[in-house]
Structure formats: C-alpha cells, structure tokens
Amino acid sequence: VLFFVFVIAEQNFSENSFFKISSFPVLSWLGKISYGLYLFHMAAITIIISLFSNSADNLILKLALSLALSIIISQLSYSYFEKYFLEIKKKF
C-alpha cells in the first residue's frame, strides 16, 4: 500500500519525475475515460461473446474486439454524458 501512496504522491508533486504519465497522451486519454471502461467493459465482453458464440477459437480476436468496443463505448459515454456532469460539478 505504501508503494502506491508513493507513486501517487510522486506523480502529483514531483516536477522532475522519472516517469510522468501525463507525458504520454494515450495514457492520459485512457485515464480520462477510465470510469467508462470500468463501467462498460463487461457489457462489451458480453456483446462480443454473443456475436461470436459459434466460434470457440480466436480468443485473441474476441479480446481485441471487446477492448475496442469498450473504448468506443467509454469515449461516447464521456463525450455525451460524463462531460456534462463534470462541467456542472465545477459550479458547486
């Protein structure tokens, strides 16, 4: 637990960090939509499995499609739903 406390504190307060996550745009973007990823990943997996239920092989393809669908749904959720509430939150 102390290790994670150190990592979070180091990312927030250190200007000359060894590994700054904010310098990687893809990681920053995934962090922005991470709530949607958490919320919708199981639905995306269920959709992909139900679409490709006949083929038992191609597990890697199913995993990749599930990840892609999760990211798409999460981005849509952030753009059209979450961003609105984040703007409202700033007013309070």
Side-chain angles (χ1 to χ4, degrees), residues 26 29-34 36-38 40-42 44-45 63-79 82:
V26 173
W29 173 70
L30 285 173
K32 190 177 2 176
I33 65 167
S34 64
L37 288 172
Y38 165 74
F40 297 117
H41 78 279
M42 204 60 197
I45 291 170
L63 291 173
L65 289 173
S66 297
L67 178 62
L69 185 60
S70 295
I71 289 173
I72 290 168
I73 294 171
S74 298
Q75 179 61 45
L76 290 172
S77 170
Y78 179 78
S79 296
E82 295 171 41

Side-chain angles (χ1 to χ4, degrees), residues 43-63:
I45 291 170
T46 304
I47 290 168
I48 294 299
I49 287 175
S50 66
L51 288 175
F52 296 102
S53 62
N54 293 338
S55 62
D57 54 345
N58 290 333
L59 178 64
I60 301 297
L61 178 64
K62 288 180 187 177
L63 291 173

Side-chain angles (χ1 to χ4, degrees), residues 77-90:
S77 170
Y78 179 78
S79 296
Y80 296 112
F81 189 71
E82 295 171 41
K83 196 186 297 186
Y84 171 74
F85 289 103
L86 290 172
E87 290 296 323
I88 290 175
K89 186 175 94 171
K90 290 178 184 176

